[in-house]
Amino acid sequence: LGAQLARAYVEGVQSNDLIAVVKHWVFNEQETHRGTESSNVDLKTAWELYYPPFQAAVDAGVDGVMCSYNRVNGRHACSSSEQSKVLKQDMRFQGFMQSDWWASSWEHVGQGLDQDMPGNDFNESEEDVNAEVNWDAADESVLRILTSMYRANVMNHTRCSPPNCKDLMIKNVSTPLHTALSQRLAAESIVLLKNSEGILPLRLETTKTIAIIGAAANASSWDPMGVSQTEDEDKDNDTAS
């Protein structure tokens, strides 16, 4: 199922001259201690359970892959030469690998990471950079990133260049058509809401109300800036008191 969804998603996104990024590479299967835990997975299990969605995305031509915080067999995912080889050689991934925010360090340069995203700011001198960076690997990273940008035609259709993107980023682009499409996709994606063939004992003539129980029933929409998390914490504290 994951492989089927990954392929369809990548093809849909990139058909609009956008770069799709699949994540997280790899074995990022828990949030608890995700920055320190090591996911130890043998090769057979990896190919049978965890790699297929990524392979499907690669086969669909995905341009970006994001590596994760966790360790893989003792090595940080973003600096695992073993996992980089699987992705770029065994799966024949032609795009670039970028780090998750705060997931990179100097040891990742030359280990398969192509793009360092914000979080860890390395204030290194030019001498340190020249001494530590594998320039052949850096050239390959540049080639992978630029190739992906050209495939997506970024040079010809980018609507703004940082830092002059604020107005575009906060612009409300919702339309009645978008709202209706989102509602339809949400309804069709939740299998139980369809109640196909009457699997659930629900009848319009007898079922008047449905109780939704659990924390998710009263949860706010998730906000990556943290606002909703704070509101939920306050709500929980009020409930507890």
Side-chain angles (χ1 to χ4, degrees):
L1 177 60
Q4 294 297 320
L5 292 173
R7 177 187 293 275
Y9 182 83
V10 169
E11 290 177 348
V13 170
Q14 296 196 166
S15 68
N16 291 284
D17 284 344
L18 296 171
I19 294 177
V21 179
V22 296
K23 61 181 185 178
H24 289 88
W25 181 260
V26 60
F27 311 133
N28 180 201
E29 303 299 322
Q30 68 179 56
E31 288 298 286
T32 304
H33 305 302
R34 67 176 183 177
T36 56
E37 68 91 12
S38 178
S39 299
N40 301 325
V41 183
D42 64 89
L43 202 58
K44 183 175 186 294
T45 303
W47 278 106
E48 290 181 351
L49 294 180
Y50 300 107
Y51 288 160
F54 290 97
Q55 181 68 75
V58 170
D59 292 343
V62 71
D63 277 317
V65 169
M66 178 180 285
C67 53
S68 50
Y69 296 105
N70 59 286
R71 297 171 186 264
V72 176
N73 298 327
R75 291 282 298 177
H76 284 290
C78 291
S79 63
S80 173
S81 298
E82 177 187 17
Q83 296 305 316
S84 176
K85 176 183 177 296
V86 170
L87 180 66
K88 294 182 175 180
Q89 296 184 27
D90 298 344
M91 293 187 181
R92 300 186 182 278
F93 173 56
Q94 300 299 307
F96 62 95
M97 185 194 297
Q98 66 177 203
S99 70
D100 203 340
W101 275 241
W102 294 280
S104 64
S105 72
W106 265 115
E107 68 181 40
H108 302 158
V109 177
Q111 303 296 324
L113 182 66
D114 300 305
Q115 185 181 69
D116 175 28
M117 298 306 286
N120 295 329
D121 298 321
F122 307 110
N123 297 316
E124 301 282 342
S125 67
E126 183 176 349
E127 290 76 14
D128 289 336
V129 171
N130 287 328
E132 296 181 37
V133 170
N134 180 326
W135 289 108
D136 289 337
D139 287 342
E140 180 183 337
S141 295
V142 171
L143 178 62
R144 286 177 173 272
I145 293 170
L146 289 179
T147 301
S148 297
M149 292 173 68
Y150 275 103
R151 271 198 296 262
N153 198 29
V154 171
M155 283 68 171
N156 295 321
H157 71 71
T158 300
R159 298 172 63 183
C160 70
S161 297
N164 303 311
C165 295
K166 182 178 179 180
D167 291 342
L168 181 63
M169 295 296 291
I170 65 175
K171 182 180 179 181
N172 184 353
V173 295
S174 296
T175 66
L177 184 61
H178 290 163
T179 301
L181 176 61
S182 297
Q183 184 176 18
R184 180 173 66 82
L185 290 175
E188 292 181 357
S189 297
I190 303 175
V191 177
L192 288 181
L193 285 184
K194 299 176 183 178
N195 199 20
S196 299
E197 301 180 4
I199 293 177
L200 297 178
L202 302 176
R203 301 290 182 273
L204 289 175
E205 60 272 16
T206 59
T207 304
K208 304 303 180 184
T209 59
I210 298 176
I212 302 175
I213 300 171
N218 196 34
S220 303
S221 298
W222 188 79
D223 181 354
M225 298 305 291
V227 176
S228 64
Q229 288 94 314
T230 302
E231 291 176 350
D232 284 342
E233 289 174 3
D234 292 341
K235 192 184 303 178
D236 292 341
N237 291 334
D238 290 342
T239 302
S241 60

